[in-house]
Amino acid sequence: MTKFELLGKKATRFGFGEGLVTLGERYENVIVLGGDITGSVMTSYFQEKFPDRFFSTGIMEATATLVATGLALSGKVPFFASYGAFAACRNTDMLRISVCYNDANVKIGGGHAGISVGPDGATHQVLEEIAITRTLPNMTLIVPCDFAEAKKATIAMGEFIGPAYIRFGRTDTPMFTKDDTPFEIGKARVFREGNDVAICACGPMVWEALVAAEKLAEEGIQARVINVSTIKPLDNETILAAARECGAVVSAEEHQITAGLGGAIAELLVKNNPVPMEFVGVNDKFGGSGDPDELMALFGLTSVTIIESVKKVIARKN
Amino acid sequence: MTKFELLGKKATRFGFGEGLVTLGERYENVIVLGGDITGSVMTSYFQEKFPDRFFSTGIMEATATLVATGLALSGKVPFFASYGAFAACRNTDMLRISVCYNDANVKIGGGHAGISVGPDGATHQVLEEIAITRTLPNMTLIVPCDFAEAKKATIAMGEFIGPAYIRFGRTDTPMFTKDDTPFEIGKARVFREGNDVAICACGPMVWEALVAAEKLAEEGIQARVINVSTIKPLDNETILAAARECGAVVSAEEHQITAGLGGAIAELLVKNNPVPMEFVGVNDKFGGSGDPDELMALFGLTSVTIIESVKKVIARKN
Amino acid sequence: MSELPFHIYPLETGFHGPKRPVANPDLVAEYNYANFSPFKNSSGNTDEYIASAAKEIRRDIIRSLVEAKSGHSGGPLGIADVMAVLYFGGVMNYDATNPWLESRDRFVLSAGHMAPVLYATLANAGFMKKEELLTLRKLNSRLQGHPGRDMGLPGIETSTGSLGQGMGIAAGMALADKHVSKNGRRVYCITGDGELQEGEIWETAMFASHWKLDNFCVLVDRNHCQIDGRNPDVMEVDPVEDKWKAFGFHTIHINGHSISEIRNAYKEAATVKEKPTCIIAETYMGHPISFMNDDYRWHGKPPNKDQAVLALAELAN
Amino acid sequence: MSELPFHIYPLETGFHGPKRPVANPDLVAEYNYANFSPFKNSSGNTDEYIASAAKEIRRDIIRSLVEAKSGHSGGPLGIADVMAVLYFGGVMNYDATNPWLESRDRFVLSAGHMAPVLYATLANAGFMKKEELLTLRKLNSRLQGHPGRDMGLPGIETSTGSLGQGMGIAAGMALADKHVSKNGRRVYCITGDGELQEGEIWETAMFASHWKLDNFCVLVDRNHCQIDGRNPDVMEVDPVEDKWKAFGFHTIHINGHSISEIRNAYKEAATVKEKPTCIIAETYMGHPISFMNDDYRWHGKPPNKDQAVLALAELAN
Ligand SMILES: Cc1ncc(C[n+]2csc(CCOP(=O)(O)OP(=O)(O)O)c2C)c(N)n1
Ligand SMILES: Cc1ncc(C[n+]2csc(CCOP(=O)(O)OP(=O)(O)O)c2C)c(N)n1
Ligand SMILES: [Mg+2]
Ligand SMILES: [Mg+2]
């Protein structure tokens, strides 16, 4: 398996923006709703190319979600994007009843994910929406690991029928997947082979996991790194195979460890193959201002913490 | 340990209503906000006795939550109650930023929990709010098992300082705890001893677990039944002791199995003592109309399903 | 450039187990549902014809609720005249025999708890067999306590039940019709007056006037009541008309029990350009049943057997 | 009957690690912050005195933003005159040396992104050392990107940053003061005009007038701008005054850069009975900096070093 190399840095939100443009070029019934932060969640790209299919909603995330539902029930494929703090929390009742209970073909883009948002501070650093969206029936939840995957995921979620939420970030993060790196909704990918431990990560933490794995290899620990870019539905097969073959799992996410990706994996493991697991994520705290790197280090969202957790979990193997 | 007996049937919402009255009698700074379903979530009791400390908000759950925050920041102890579908989902952003990030002393009562709501149907049968509220930092989450515990829990959450959410039901469910049955926020109680399997349940499912345990005893299986009435913070000690001594766990809740009580326990187990676990709950579906008993049976929220799950999980004990 | 495929109607994912509920055959006989033939929808219909449809809708509301033993009487009875005009006065364009016809106008009951009047109206228009009304709120019924799109009932465009949401969905449909498909379809929505307390109503109002959705017509069921009491005792919503005007709507204030006023209001709404319209219909909750009329305590209660007999007697021709 | 204990201020749970940021000493010297003495708050102050405070607030906004290298310039600069009147015109009752005094009036910045003007005002009133302004948005600073109550900064009554929420919190405070504690305290709130698109604003407006909160005064920063452009290009909010009137508020429409008009408006608000007041203050985003004035592109940008020099030059006495 080819090793992933650092190809530069670019925020996943730009992949979302470019993916929307591709969808707009391919399909005339793709519509985008703008929530007054279009230049930040990059729906502005679509707006420039397809002004007739872009509608500004102003600052009303709840109603934008309802309008998207109405569009979907009229045969359109609407995307509404805002910061995740508002695209998943301000409209939770709308996501539950109007979007998911209706099984409406609504696509939500949630930006400013995690504390890597930086100086804006806690209010804008959403760390809870993986839990909120994955508990909703009929919802599909995607967390791309980098720019290229974000673009593929956005196109895929448009072409797929059903409610879907994509989570992306504000800050430039490592690019390491290529145009030919496969992406499929519902499929987790092994990005690095190894049988001592499985690191299941999503979003920018996938790169941190790869970095951690390299360092661990120097110490003779072979970590399997899995990019869990679809959190719902979870790729049970790939993750259970990893649990079986590695006997220990570490989850890594830029989210509360409570009820997030780690929670989804924990639920799968105890039900099928209970192996030791450690969680890398935010430990039931709110974020704060600071620059992204400082914050990621302070909150333990780096390869360093992953390495510690890997050693902890390996020590716990029977 | 004394065996719990069926003492009759009464909905937990009445315990909430009576608890509020007790708080009102004891403390002059307890305030109740009514959201136009006061006769259904039983804030009407408080309204009758303390009209000067009851304020009607009409149908605006988001703003009622904000008003409660303002009251709390002014030294009051405000309770706002509605159906959980609206008291946890319509105001999620408010719970996250205004209540929890502010660490404001706001108390939320969420009624109509689960499909036992019956004929009103899916929109009103909330099955997601355990996941939503437990992922929020600073939040305390209580799910009382019956009428008497609901009353105690309501009083306790008022006397405790910090954001708290209590979940209660519409339909009459078994009463089996007594005035002298101990209740403490953060403490899970063993309601039945046993070392073959631990059934961790919350809400009305605790009674179903006790019924299941009796039937299982006839087959020689001794199940420990734990009433996990505080889901956040979770009583790690009691649950881990059960995992250690029983070697297998079954969770039972009237909630999505995704990210709910079962999820919280699964996270705890894999991190400390990975033992086989089975989940009893709603399997990623919305509810529907029908009468409560029919629905509970159809969705597998009964002692029958618990018994099946216990046998499954015991078979998985190596 | 192509269209992304989509599957909208009917959706039938909501059945919890195979068995569908069956209507009580004695009642089907008693109500003579077998020989019923649907009312016609035409602007040529007389007010009397529409009034007779409204009366039959009210009878069916009572019949379905007493059989369901739970549900909302007050709002549904109060809005029956409006529903009769919408479906039988030639206001809405639909074909009950081809319920998912693309060109149909859309109807969204934002106040989802008023479902019984929607079901009764759809049955009287021929969207379903009338006897199905007797399965209201029963396990696996297509007639959920609040409209559930997952049950695939013809005429149910969207699930509603969480107040304040349906109107936003309706606005989205109107946006699709006016600015995307440009197909001339109109979208009709009914909200309660207590429902006006939800902020999404005002967000949507602002949105609809910003986008000049003149194909969008909201009607407020102005019965001055909600669950806990009369609006001013729970949360004052007046001045209602000023609010809608300030949010850019063309407003029409009418007697919601006058067939002719309702017809004229919808006619006027269809002529307004560049603005959405809000019809404020003054109604009485539970109208015209003597022991329910204008009494908020009937918001969420069904009649018991005796009360149903009395109500049906009052509704006899 | 007793009172339940509660612990409100200061809360200091928000520090992520021990180290607090330190202000750049060269800048502290350059700005002569050491010798600064706070402005006084008195209804006797002249308009000129208040204007000079407003100018100093604007200088501090520029200084803190250029040092932070991120943050919002436009709104904070535009609302500086209003803030100066609130804190130095004797409108608000507070004691900077005893910031959590029970009897203080409450101020809530609903538009949390305008934090820089709140911090600059608090520093100029003596709630904190001025040099702390230079730690804006830095790790562990009490000056978070959006006001964070968890940092325990005196004068920060509540966290805000999610638009539409602060006003509801403020209304809750006003309810506590008028109907529970009956203590005569007043609550002041500032919202943006784009913020008016959030439905919670209208829910809260309805709530505040229903409960006759005449101790509650909201001021709308009417700068006609938001992030993506001018309001009408993003989402029309006009007629703003009609909306507030229809929601039961006493309204006052003023020039938000006229110290005397702002003072008179707050005086008038204090005399209104049985109704909350909304002051609609016409402002320019980024006012009065020549290259920012009335330009929405300055909503969320800090000045770079050169721009800061130019801006400070324009703000020199
Ligand atoms: C978001 C939300 N909150 C609360 C409820 C519960 N509820 C159902 S109907 C109703 C009263 C609605 O009043 P109105 O709109 O005037 O309808 P009417 O009582 O006149 O039928 C309430 C509070 C709900 N369905 N949705
Ligand atoms: C609920 C919510 N949605 C979106 C945002 C992002 N946001 C921050 S400021 C802003 C524009 C606000 O416009 P206005 O109130 O007019 O403030 P101004 O631009 O005039 O400073 C937006 C959309 C937010 N902070 N909160
Ligand atoms: Mg009403
Ligand atoms: Mg503005």
Side-chain angles (χ1 to χ4, degrees), chain B:
Chain B
M1 134 175 292
T2 55
K3 190 162 155 307
F4 284 91
E5 304 287 352
L6 182 62
L7 309 171
K9 284 187 153 207
K10 195 166 187 178
T12 46
R13 62 188 168 129
F14 297 107
F16 174 71
E18 290 190 12
L20 289 183
V21 170
T22 305
L23 284 169
E25 285 161 348
R26 288 192 196 159
Y27 310 108
E28 64 204 25
N29 55 337
V30 169
I31 307 287
V32 172
L33 299 176
D36 193 32
I37 41 180
T38 57
S40 175
V41 294
M42 306 325 295
T43 44
S44 50
Y45 290 171
F46 185 98
Q47 177 177 22
E48 285 149 24
K49 292 206 75 168
F50 311 102
D52 304 351
R53 289 189 275 148
F54 176 91
F55 297 95
S56 173
T57 67
I59 315 166
M60 44 175 82
E61 296 79 6
T63 286
T65 305
L66 298 172
V67 167
T69 303
L71 286 163
L73 295 182
S74 304
K76 313 305 169 201
V77 181
F79 280 76
F80 167 62
S82 181
Y83 299 149
F86 316 124
C89 304
R90 190 56 158 260
N91 56 348
T92 311
D93 191 16
M94 293 71 202
L95 290 176
R96 176 178 175 265
I97 289 176
S98 291
V99 175
C100 290
Y101 179 45
N102 254 329
D103 204 0
N105 195 18
V106 169
K107 319 296 179 179
I108 304 286
H112 270 44
I115 57 171
S116 58
V117 165
D120 272 346
T123 54
H124 286 51
Q125 297 162 344
V126 68
L127 298 165
E128 297 80 16
E129 85 282 30
I130 289 178
I132 291 170
T133 51
R134 81 180 181 90
T135 193
L136 298 174
N138 299 340
M139 182 63 97
T140 290
L141 171 59
I142 306 175
V143 184
C145 65
D146 73 349
F147 166 79
E149 187 171 71
K151 181 170 179 176
K152 288 180 208 135
T154 302
I155 296 167
M157 83 191 266
E159 293 177 337
F160 147 102
I161 298 180
Y165 183 98
I166 183 169
R167 181 186 212 231
F168 49 86
R170 167 188 172 272
T171 303
D172 289 335
T173 47
M175 296 191 287
F176 52 99
T177 71
K178 301 212 181 73
D179 294 351
D180 60 0
T181 312
F183 171 85
E184 199 185 317
I185 292 176
K187 201 92 203 60
R189 301 279 172 188
V190 175
F191 273 13
R192 188 185 187 287
E193 289 295 357
N195 289 332
D196 298 331
V197 62
I199 308 173
C200 297
C202 66
M205 295 305 288
V206 174
W207 176 255
E208 294 299 317
L210 288 167
V211 171
E214 288 307 308
K215 297 225 184 72
L216 287 161
E218 293 163 13
E219 307 179 35
I221 298 172
Q222 293 304 333
R224 180 180 307 188
V225 176
I226 301 176
N227 172 23
V228 188
S229 40
T230 309
I231 293 182
K232 185 177 188 174
L234 199 62
D235 182 348
N236 299 352
E237 211 174 289
T238 303
I239 293 168
L240 286 175
R244 196 169 54 245
E245 289 153 24
C246 305
V249 176
V250 170
S251 62
E253 63 196 302
E254 198 181 345
H255 185 275
Q256 303 291 355
I257 58 177
T258 314
L261 167 67
I265 293 169
E267 292 162 15
L268 180 69
L269 293 182
V270 293
K271 178 131 180 56
N272 297 276
N273 179 14
V275 300
M277 178 172 167
E278 293 290 329
F279 299 75
V280 173
V282 175
N283 193 358
D284 209 19
K285 289 199 290 290
F286 283 102
S289 293
D291 59 58
D293 296 345
E294 282 178 325
L295 288 164
M296 295 297 273
L298 190 60
F299 281 79
L301 299 173
T302 63
S303 58
V304 178
T305 331
I306 295 175
I307 290 170
E308 292 166 8
S309 300
V310 163
K311 292 179 176 173
K312 233 196 248 161
V313 82
I314 285 179
R316 287 175 51 206
K317 287 212 250 178
N318 39 15

Side-chain angles (χ1 to χ4, degrees), chain A residues 93, chain B residues 35-37 59 61 82-83 86 90 124, chain C residues 72 74-76 111 113-114 146 161-164 191-196 198 221 223 225-227 231 285 299:
Chain A
D93 191 16
Chain B
D36 193 32
I37 41 180
I59 315 166
E61 296 79 6
S82 181
Y83 299 149
F86 316 124
R90 190 56 158 260
H124 286 51
Chain C
H72 301 78
H113 63 281
M114 296 190 197
H146 295 77
S162 174
L163 294 167
T191 75
D193 51 4
E195 185 176 10
L196 303 182
E198 290 287 1
D221 175 33
N223 61 11
C225 294
Q226 56 194 102
I227 292 180
N231 301 139
M285 181 175 273
H299 158 90

Side-chain angles (χ1 to χ4, degrees), chain D residues 137-155:
Chain D
R137 293 181 153 240
K138 298 196 191 306
L139 189 66
N140 283 325
S141 171
R142 297 196 297 177
L143 281 57
Q144 292 286 298
H146 295 77
R149 197 174 81 89
D150 61 339
M151 305 307 281
L153 181 67

